[in-house]
Each structure stands twice: as C-alpha cells, then as structure tokens.
Amino acid sequence: MERLPMRKIKDVLRLRASGYSTHRISNSLGLGRTSVRNYLQRAAEAGLSWPDVQALDEGVLERRLFHQVARAEGHAFVMPDWAEVNRELKRSGVTLGLLWEEYRACHPDDGYGYSAYCQHYRAWVKRLSPSMRQRHVAGEKLFVDYSGVRMEVTDPATGMRRPVELFVAVLGASNYTYAEASWSQTLPDWIGAHVRAFEFFGGAPALIVSDNLKSAVVRACFHEPGVNRSYTDLARHYQTAILPARPYKPKDKSKAEGGVLLVQRWIVARLRNRVFFSLAELNAAIREALTLLNARVSRHLGASRQQLFEQLDQPALIPLPPTRHVHADWQKVTAGADYHIRIDDHYYSVPYSLARSSLWVRITASTIEAFQGGKRVASHQRAGPEDRCGTTVKAHMPARHRHYADMTADKVRTDAQTVGPNVATLVEVILRNRPRPEQGIRACVGILKLKRGPGPERLDAACARALALNACSLKSVSSILKNHLETQPIEAAPHAPTIAHTNIRRTEGAPRINGPPLAGRAHYFH
C-alpha cells in the first residue's frame, strides 16, 4: 500500500469525526476503502483522534502511525529474506500479501505487520540496481536486441576482417542470458537467432519484447505497431506474442539494454584479443563465455542466473513445438492474365479465376505458397535457378487450356490413327515438316476437329487428296471438305511430301526417284 501524505490522513480522521462512513470518505478523497480502514485502524491503535492530530506536526504523526515497532515484552522482529521474497514475487499469481501471510504464519509473535513488511521490502528494493527494479513474472517476457558493439571474423585466405552482429536475449524474471553472432541484422538472421534462443532456453516466453529494428517492425507505433509478417509467423509457431518497445523508450526493454551491456563486458571484452576464422568458431567461444556469465552469483540476490532460471523461468516457459520453425518471406504480388505469378524470375500458376488478383505469397527455401484472404490457393515446389521454364498445375487451367495442354505430339498421332490412315499420314507429315513437332500440334488438332461435321470417312478421303496434291495444311483440308472435292479424281502433283509411310503408295507406272517408293519420295497417291 502506498504511503499517503499526512494531510490526507488528517482528512480521513477529520471526516470520520464528522460521522462519515468509510465508503463516503473513500469517494470524497479518492482513496480505496481498504486504505481508509487501514489508516483508521492505525490511528485507533496509536490512540489518536481528530482533535488530537489537528495540531500535530506531520513528522510526529508519521512516527506515531508507522513506527509502532516497540513491543511491551521487548522482543526483536524477525527480518524476512528479502532476496527470497523478490524471487517469489516473480512467480505467477504470487503477491506481497500472500508472502506476508506465510511470513506471519511462521512468526506469529515476532513478525512485522503488513504495512511495516511492505515498507521494509520497498526500502530493500531501492538498493538494487535500476535494471532490477521492475517486477517480471516468471516465463512472461523475453527481451531481445542487437549489441551496438560488434565482433569480427577473419578470412583465413585473405586476412580481411568482417564485422558481425551480436544478438542478445534476456529472460525477465531470472536475467538468464543468451547471445550469438550472426552476419547481419536481416530478417533471416533475426528469425534464426530467435529459434536458436528458444532452443537454448528449452521453451518460449509468453511475450517477446523487441526493439523497433526494420527486420522486426514494419511500422513503429505505441498503439498499433506493424510487426513483420515473417516475425508474426515465428510467434504463431511458438505460441507466443510480439510486443515491440515504444520508439525512443529504452526503459521498455531495460532488460535487453542491461543484457547487452553485460554481454559487452563479459563476452566481447574478454574475447577482444582472440582471432576467429569462422562464425561457428566465434559462436563456440561465445557459448563458453555465456556459461560462465550465467553461472556467476549475483551479489544482491545471492544466486546465479542459472539457478534463478531453473527455479523461475524454466518451469513457466511454453514447451517447444515438435517441429522447428522454418523461416519464410512474404511478398505481395498480382497474378497475370495468364494466371501465373512471378517469383525470382520464375512463373508459378494459381487458379485461373484469380487472374489479375492480388495475392500474398509465402516463400521458403523449398516451397512457394499463394494465399488470398488467409486461405492457401496454390502450392509449388520452389524451382532452382537453372530452371527457366514455368511451373503450371493443370488443375489451375481452364478446361480449354487443359485440353490443349494435353495435346502432345504422341497423343495427336494416336488420335489420328483412330480417325483413318490418311489422317494419320497427314498428321505425321505436318509434324515432321516443322522444326519442332510441337509447332505443328495446333494445325493437327484443327484437322482432327474437322470430323465433327463431315465425319471420319470424308475427312480421311480429304486428307488423302491433300497428300496427293502436296497441300498438307489445315486450310487445304478445310477447302477440300467445303467444296466436296474429296471424291474428285486426283491429278499428279509436281512435288510429293517427304515421308515414307505404309499408307502412301506409288501409282502404277509412275517413275521411281531415288530408290524404292517407300524409301524415298512417293509421287502419286490414292
């Protein structure tokens, strides 16, 4: 209970003497009813009433109300172990009132009253360092930040020194500290450092209090800070929450500030004369120094960070999930008219109904996932840098596109065989006369569609006439069918198609050129 000014206490006694109830005194002076009752009880125990205290000096009144430590029998009071009280207060749900009740249960005759107990505790707390004045519940907060002082890694081949960043994480209740070196403060390094810190602690805190660095916070604001979406994914995976510190308010993350200073003194300074040739070597040395730092006994609390961690934070941490968090970048893109999105110069398909729509894309080292309205609409294996072709899922295509995509050269040949031998021969001619067979697929598909009206028999006869006239094209076959020319006599063609096929026969009496009719050019056809 906070000590009120003596004038306030005099007002309480004055209103009481005027016949006011505890409730009315509380409302009139803006005090809690418990506080009003407490002061009235103290005044009654000290034998003071309003006419007596009206002329008393404030110092005399304070001594008579709050320093009633003398006992008739002259017994000394038992002083509590304030360091133990401070540790117990960090446990969830533990209050100073509860600890006082337990204390009086052990010392009913020689224990302090509640007010004196609180007064002595506050006096003890004031002697602690400023970084320990805040009360932190066990397992509640983890303070994270980067050190302003950087370390270095030396290239063994060139001897050049490369600066590295130092990540620091401190648990609120026990001050248990974690530190590691990383190449940068970019988002992947920031997320990876958190994952390794959680594994070092063996659990996750309820809250992560972070600085407003750009990797973590998109928009720094006290009321509605904009946290990076990848950072939010990390919090969701470990069932914790992000609480960015207020801009330009270092006291919001005083534990991190104190932890950074401690790491600079106990790790950076102690390793300043050593040369490290790799990041792994540097982190191994940091881990050794970190063990010594956490094992060091605090002069004020009489225990080490390791001991406090095992007593307070460790049992209260959130258990780690079965799988390790995988870092993912988020990117907002717009699907093209061809229902594909572009990620790292590679195109990935999405459902055709989402063409020209804005989508969020989650990018990991192995997967590409597209989301709309929080729902995943597409997922792909991430293509390598050597893969220049697009990745298309047939289910994402409209029906007409799927039909065309299924039309490979082999399928076109198979479908042509079912229509007729001359159709199959014409299809083969078209595919072979293109630089690549795929270039003739559209024309072949168009020829196969012609059977819908005239029927397969007329189409086969039309293809036979087109072959005889060396008019191997969709336009020629369409013209033959339109004008009903497939039944007309076939005249000799000056040039025949370059193909050998069992369905192509030489007309009797025709001259042979360059070998047998089935091996070279066939000149006349039925």
Side-chain angles (χ1 to χ4, degrees), residues 189-463:
D189 284 336
W190 173 255
I191 298 294
H194 280 71
V195 172
R196 290 182 286 274
F198 294 157
E199 292 172 351
F200 175 79
F201 297 133
L207 291 171
I208 302 173
V209 182
S210 71
D211 197 5
N212 282 283
L213 75 162
K214 293 182 179 180
S215 296
V217 180
V218 178
R219 181 172 61 91
C221 175
F222 172 70
H223 299 287
E224 292 184 348
V227 180
N228 185 285
R229 189 161 184 176
S230 297
Y231 200 18
T232 304
D233 278 352
L234 171 83
R236 187 180 298 112
H237 183 80
Y238 289 101
Q239 298 181 8
T240 183
I242 310 297
L243 183 65
R246 292 175 296 173
Y248 311 109
K249 298 292 182 180
K251 288 184 179 180
D252 287 0
K253 53 183 179 67
S254 57
K255 287 281 183 178
E257 299 287 342
V260 164
L261 183 60
L262 202 66
V263 166
Q264 291 174 357
R265 292 175 178 175
W266 279 82
I267 296 180
V268 178
R270 290 173 184 269
L271 300 177
R272 69 187 185 281
N273 294 324
R274 291 180 58 179
V275 179
F276 302 98
F277 297 102
S278 69
L279 193 65
E281 182 184 354
L282 173 58
N283 278 322
I286 291 175
R287 184 64 66 91
E288 293 177 3
L290 201 59
T291 302
L292 298 176
L293 170 62
N294 286 323
R296 179 173 171 266
V297 177
S298 169
R299 291 178 297 173
H300 295 293
L301 299 178
S304 67
R305 289 173 175 79
Q306 179 71 41
Q307 293 170 332
L308 294 175
F309 169 71
E310 293 172 356
Q311 294 175 14
L312 301 173
D313 281 316
Q314 190 175 39
L317 291 176
I318 301 170
L320 295 178
T323 58
R324 196 183 200 198
H325 174 71
V326 177
H327 170 67
D329 290 315
W330 286 87
Q331 183 177 339
K332 194 171 186 179
V333 300
T334 300
D338 60 352
Y339 50 89
H340 281 69
I341 56 177
R342 182 180 179 181
I343 305 295
D344 293 337
D345 294 329
H346 190 89
Y347 290 88
Y348 301 89
S349 67
V350 297
Y352 70 92
S353 59
L354 299 178
R356 300 185 177 89
S357 299
S358 295
L359 305 171
W360 276 101
V361 181
R362 184 175 182 266
I363 307 169
T364 69
S366 59
T367 61
I368 300 292
E369 297 173 289
F371 292 81
Q372 187 186 51
K375 180 182 178 180
R376 188 173 69 176
V377 294
S379 178
H380 300 274
Q381 289 291 324
R382 189 171 183 178
E386 70 284 349
D387 188 355
R388 296 297 180 184
C389 299
T391 301
T392 304
V393 176
K394 288 185 179 179
H396 294 162
M397 305 168 70
R400 62 184 183 278
H401 291 186
R402 284 199 302 270
H403 176 74
Y404 178 75
D406 290 337
M407 282 297 174
T408 62
D410 290 338
K411 191 174 189 308
V412 167
R413 290 187 179 99
T414 302
D415 291 348
Q417 290 283 355
T418 62
V419 179
N422 293 302
V423 176
T425 301
L426 182 62
V427 164
E428 189 67 31
V429 169
I430 292 174
L431 293 176
R432 290 194 179 185
N433 283 344
R434 299 293 193 276
R436 292 183 60 85
E438 292 81 1
Q439 294 175 335
I441 289 178
R442 290 188 180 181
C444 294
V445 171
I447 290 173
L448 293 175
K449 286 182 177 180
L450 294 175
K451 71 176 181 179
R452 296 175 181 173
E457 291 80 7
R458 286 190 61 194
L459 177 60
D460 191 62
C463 289

